[in-house]
């Protein structure tokens, strides 16, 4: 079965084709970052307006690239939530209608299931069961994954998501939107020993996170240090480093704990923050020290993309799951509410 | 001529099929539930006529103005269906369709259309029904305050659309003297989109699936653009 995937949940238009036998045949992402940068964040109406311009041309481009004609697509998968409702509606309406007109089945995919399954697109792919750490702009969740659709929430952020904390702290440091990757770049020049930020909620049992205090800590540190700083740029870099170290350490501590609690050996990371280099290094070191294994998507598939939607959709469509003749995207939608395949 | 038209620009959700000089419509008032209904309505019309999408000559949609989300939904649905079946698309103004609908119901040949655009504004259009019984715009459609609406000189206009409900006193003080009646509760219907689209299609006014785009009229959607 060959599935066309459509992702429009936020500020990226992602289109891909996944083939059950040949794997990924084509993948294209168009990012709206430049449109939203001047506002310091995603403007939902502008995002929707751009998706309606970009989605269909990207679909044609991907079909051409894969040298496929329409009749060679056996199913359509579109992101049905969670995300910005107006943005979701564009991909959902287009995808559902495309499938209707092609007379093939369609499936609404959970965006976070897309992220969660993205490491399975790589070789070697992890076997089930495993612990998944979803770290993105809107989510920080630890999940016990028994199989596709069999998810148990182990812990999550009680306030800001890790990516959100990266972005907000980047803003405090005066970095352009989207701040996560920029902050990581600045942190490379930072002195890890100058400041030490707290590792929130690691001193007590449990697998929940709290990241909103770290941005306040960064702000306070910046306000304290800047007036007397000889080298303001270095101070910013040092704060970026201290922040990144604190987030990374916290994630590592909780992942190790989650593996111990579940007894699983395999850990997968997914979502935008899993592209972070320091996180990958420290996680690899910590988990391999315990004879565990860590899996990631390729950096391109950490952030939003169509490949993960095509792939997740393929799994559900081949299991015989599909939508009736309607599209009902949801801004909010719990991963744990998904049915097993 | 076999043409399927849809409109999801407001609270109503409708589809209409022109087939062999007859027209069939399905319309439901389904606020915020268009996504559950629109493809069902389209399928029902095709089933009844024993047609498939690929049998059609063209697709059409109400391209706006109206609810941003609503006109984008119609656009996306038509883009997808047209791309998959390789059909041409006709985009029809919801204001023109509203005027066409008024002519269908009441026979008025000079129609002012005003949709509530929120934020103290209306989407505004002026239409004359021509010798072929088709609504033709006689001034550029715009979004503006009710006090700013422009009125081509005539004394016998009929006003239609939610703007005449939301801004009744404002509009009546500006253009009341030229109005001989209003219907503030009418909405855009796919059958009127279809009638205008069939004529536009015959005149060669169609685009490819990718060319189907919404018309928002309101382009200022952020505070500091
Ligand atoms: N190298 C990096 N280091 C730290 N953070 C990063 C890096 N690259 C991306 N991010 C962060 O990842 C987030 C974007 O990831 P993603 O696209 O998966 O999130 P989203 O789709 O906005 O949210 P969600 O998937 O939860 O709906 C942003 O917060 C961004 O700052
Ligand atoms: Mg995401």
């Amino acid at each position: 079965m060959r599935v066309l995937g459509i992702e429009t949940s936020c500020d990226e238009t992602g289109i891909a084709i996944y083939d059950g036998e040949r794997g990924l045949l084509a993948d294209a992402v168009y990012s709206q970052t430049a449109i939203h940068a001047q506002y310091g964040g995603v403007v939902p109406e502008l995002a929707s307006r751009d998706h309606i311009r970009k989605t269909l041309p990207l679909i044609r481009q991907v079909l051409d690239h894969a040298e496929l004609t329409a009749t060679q697509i056996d199913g359509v998968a579109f992101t049905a939530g969670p995300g910005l409702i107006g943005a979701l509606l564009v991909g959902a309406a287009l995808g559902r209608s495309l499938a209707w007109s092609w007379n093939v089945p369609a499936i609404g995919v959970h965006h976070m299931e897309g992220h969660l399954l993205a490491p399975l697109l790589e070789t070697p792919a992890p076997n089930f069961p495993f612990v998944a750490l979803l770290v993105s702009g809107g989510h920080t969740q630890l999940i016990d994954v028994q199989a596709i659709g069999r998810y148990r929430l182990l812990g999550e952020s009680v306030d800001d998501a890790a990516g959100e904390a990266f972005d907000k702290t980047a803003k405090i440091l005066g970095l352009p939107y989207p701040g996560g990757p920029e902050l990581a770049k600045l942190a490379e020049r930072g002195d890890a020993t100058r400041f030490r930020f707290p590792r929130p909620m690691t001193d007590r049992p449990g697998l929940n996170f709290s990241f909103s205090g770290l941005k306040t800590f960064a702000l306070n540190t910046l306000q304290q240090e800047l007036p007397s700083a000889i080298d303001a740029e270095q101070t910013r870099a040092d704060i970026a480093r201290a922040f990144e170290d604190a987030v990374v350490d916290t994630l590592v501590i909780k992942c190790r704990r989650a593996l111990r609690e579940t007894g699983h050996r395999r850990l997968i990371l997914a979502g935008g923050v899993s592209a972070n280099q320091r996180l990958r290094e420290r996680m690899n070191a910590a988990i391999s020290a315990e004879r565990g294994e860590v899996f990631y998507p390729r950096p391109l598939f950490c952030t939003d993309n169509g490949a993960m939607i095509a792939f997740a959709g393929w799994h559900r469509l081949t299991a015989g799951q599909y939508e009736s003749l309607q599209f009902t995207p949801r801004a909010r939608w719990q991963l744990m509410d998904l049915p097993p395949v | 001529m076999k043409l399927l038209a849809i409109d999801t620009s407001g609270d109503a959700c409708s589809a209409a099929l022109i087939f062999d000089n007859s027209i069939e419509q399905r319309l439901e008032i389904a606020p915020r539930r268009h996504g559950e209904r629109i493809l069902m309505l389209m399928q029902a019309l095709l089933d009844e006529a024993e047609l498939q999408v690929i049998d059609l000559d063209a697709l059409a949609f109400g391209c706006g103005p109206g609810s941003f989300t609503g006109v984008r939904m119609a656009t996306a649905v038509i883009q997808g269906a047209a791309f998959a079946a390789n059909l041409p698309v006709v985009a029809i103004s919801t204001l023109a369709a509203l005027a066409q609908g008024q002519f269908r119901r009441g026979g008025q040949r000079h129609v002012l259309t005003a949709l509530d655009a929120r934020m103290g504004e209306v989407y505004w259009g002026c239409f004359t029904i021509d010798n072929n019984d088709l609504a033709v715009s006689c001034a550029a459609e715009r979004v503006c305050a009710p006090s700013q609406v422009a009125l081509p000189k005539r004394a016998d206009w009929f006003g239609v659309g939610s703007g005449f409900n939301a801004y009744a006193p404002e509009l009546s003080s500006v253009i009341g003297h030229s109005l001989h009646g209003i219907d503030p509760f009418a909405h855009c219907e796919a059958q009127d989109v279809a009638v205008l689209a069939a004529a536009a299609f015959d005149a060669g006014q169609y685009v490819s699936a990718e060319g189907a785009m919404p018309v928002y009229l309101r382009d200022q959607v952020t505070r500091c653009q």
Side-chain angles (χ1 to χ4, degrees):
Chain A
M1 181 178 222
R2 214 174 280 128
V3 175
L4 175 78
I6 303 174
E7 155 64 36
T8 64
S9 72
C10 190
D11 59 346
E12 258 105 31
T13 313
I15 308 292
I17 299 165
Y18 181 80
D19 180 312
E21 273 148 35
R22 294 160 58 206
L24 209 56
L25 300 185
D27 166 70
V29 177
Y30 165 80
S31 174
Q32 303 177 354
T33 301
I35 292 174
H36 304 291
Q38 57 179 313
Y39 304 101
V42 178
V43 182
E45 177 59 21
L46 292 184
S48 305
R49 287 187 177 200
D50 208 46
H51 284 305
I52 194 77
R53 282 190 294 262
K54 297 298 183 343
T55 309
L56 189 53
L58 217 53
I59 289 172
R60 192 186 285 280
Q61 180 190 317
V62 158
L63 284 168
D64 288 350
H65 182 260
E67 293 179 353
L68 290 176
T69 59
T71 53
Q72 295 170 297
I73 298 292
D74 310 305
V76 177
F78 53 85
T79 305
L84 300 172
I85 192 67
L88 287 165
L89 257 171
V90 174
L94 214 165
R96 188 64 196 85
S97 163
L98 199 56
W100 172 66
S101 192
W102 269 337
N103 205 13
V104 298
I107 181 84
V109 169
H110 192 292
H111 180 79
M112 299 313 294
E113 178 165 81
H115 277 305
L116 190 149
L117 297 179
L120 275 67
L121 279 166
E122 309 299 335
T123 16
N127 292 321
F128 296 107
F130 52 72
V131 168
L133 172 67
L134 300 178
V135 264
S136 58
H139 294 80
T140 308
Q141 295 186 323
L142 273 166
I143 295 162
D144 179 351
V145 180
Q146 291 294 330
I148 293 175
R150 291 180 59 204
Y151 308 127
R152 182 168 64 93
L153 184 66
L154 299 169
E156 65 185 331
S157 177
V158 297
D159 43 53
D160 290 355
E164 189 181 358
F166 261 95
D167 295 339
K168 287 177 174 172
T169 304
K171 209 169 190 172
I172 289 169
L173 293 173
L175 297 170
Y177 165 88
E182 294 285 335
L183 189 149
K185 223 185 289 168
L186 181 63
E188 279 172 32
R189 288 188 278 119
D191 175 357
T193 61
R194 178 150 169 222
F195 304 113
R196 186 175 166 83
F197 282 28
R199 274 59 176 156
M201 297 180 78
T202 52
D203 57 352
R204 67 194 97 157
L207 294 168
N208 283 344
F209 306 88
S210 165
F211 290 113
S212 75
L214 285 178
K215 66 164 191 290
T216 318
F217 206 90
L219 180 65
N220 291 341
T221 309
L222 188 72
Q223 283 171 347
Q224 239 165 52
E225 298 292 326
L226 262 196
S228 59
I230 306 157
D231 185 346
E233 200 42 40
Q234 188 59 48
T235 297
R236 283 201 179 82
D238 297 343
I239 291 173
R241 179 63 195 264
F243 169 85
E244 188 182 53
D245 280 346
V247 174
V248 167
D249 270 359
T250 305
L251 293 173
V252 169
I253 290 166
K254 299 277 169 155
C255 284
R256 203 194 290 135
R257 207 179 275 177
L259 286 178
R260 282 181 194 156
E261 280 187 19
T262 56
H264 298 331
R265 284 189 49 250
R266 287 174 295 270
L267 172 72
I268 70 111
L269 265 62
V273 182
S274 70
N276 184 278
Q277 208 46 47
R278 197 174 312 278
L279 174 62
R280 289 184 175 218
E281 282 161 19
R282 297 247 195 98
M283 195 66 82
N284 289 345
I287 303 303
S288 55
E290 312 219 338
R291 300 178 169 279
E293 269 184 288
V294 197
F295 299 83
Y296 309 88
R298 70 197 77 168
L300 188 66
F301 292 166
C302 288
T303 45
D304 294 350
N305 63 86
M308 67 186 195
I309 302 305
F311 184 62
W314 178 86
H315 277 287
R316 292 203 171 266
L317 284 168
T318 49
Q321 298 181 2
Y322 50 86
E323 304 280 309
S324 59
L325 192 49
Q326 55 173 323
F327 45 94
T328 51
R330 300 179 235 184
R332 291 168 188 282
W333 186 8
Q334 277 296 327
L335 188 61
M336 280 33 83
D337 292 342
L338 286 175
V341 295
Chain B
M1 163 76 71
K2 295 187 281 295
L3 179 145
L4 182 62
I6 63 167
D7 177 80
T8 59
S9 64
D11 284 348
C13 169
S14 58
L17 177 68
I18 289 187
F19 180 33
D20 283 351
N21 298 319
S22 77
I23 184 158
E24 287 294 329
Q25 173 171 268
R26 289 276 195 289
L27 181 144
E28 291 179 7
I29 304 297
R32 288 177 302 281
R33 290 184 51 231
H34 296 351
E36 287 168 52
R37 300 302 306 151
I38 190 63
L39 287 166
M40 301 272 206
L41 301 184
M42 295 164 79
Q43 182 66 56
L45 286 168
L46 291 176
D47 283 349
E48 210 164 81
E50 295 181 5
L51 291 176
Q52 296 191 332
V53 192
I54 41 163
D55 300 327
L56 296 167
D57 299 309
L59 292 167
F61 70 113
C63 65
S67 138
F68 294 163
T69 301
V71 298
R72 258 196 307 270
M73 184 189 295
T75 308
V77 165
I78 291 302
Q79 280 187 354
F83 178 79
N86 200 17
L87 291 175
V89 177
V90 186
I92 293 296
S93 154
T94 48
L95 295 177
L98 204 53
Q100 188 71 31
Q102 189 52 46
F103 171 71
R104 172 174 48 80
R105 285 185 304 270
Q108 290 88 353
R109 303 195 84 94
H110 302 284
V111 184
L112 300 174
T113 56
L115 288 173
D116 180 6
R118 312 274 163 85
M119 301 164 76
E121 294 186 314
V122 288
Y123 296 122
W124 180 252
C126 311
F127 296 88
T128 297
I129 307 301
D130 71 5
N131 294 335
N132 298 315
D133 290 348
L134 297 169
V136 177
S137 175
C138 43
E141 297 178 1
R142 53 195 289 236
V143 58
C144 62
S147 59
Q148 305 291 308
V149 300
L151 190 64
K153 285 233 178 319
R154 272 202 74 91
D156 56 342
W157 292 95
F158 191 91
V160 59
S162 57
F164 287 95
N165 188 31
Y167 303 102
E170 293 90 334
L171 282 174
S172 128
S173 78
V174 186
I175 56 164
H177 54 281
S178 314
L179 283 178
H180 70 85
I182 61 167
D183 180 355
F185 303 110
H187 29 68
C188 182
E189 297 187 29
Q191 59 177 317
D192 302 309
V193 172
V195 166
L196 290 169
F201 180 72
D202 283 338
Q205 292 158 13
Y206 50 80
V207 294
S208 67
E210 281 108 325
M213 279 294 144
V215 173
Y216 304 107
L217 288 191
R218 177 176 283 146
D219 293 321
Q220 179 86 36
V221 293
T222 57
R223 254 173 284 129
C224 53
Q225 205 167 24

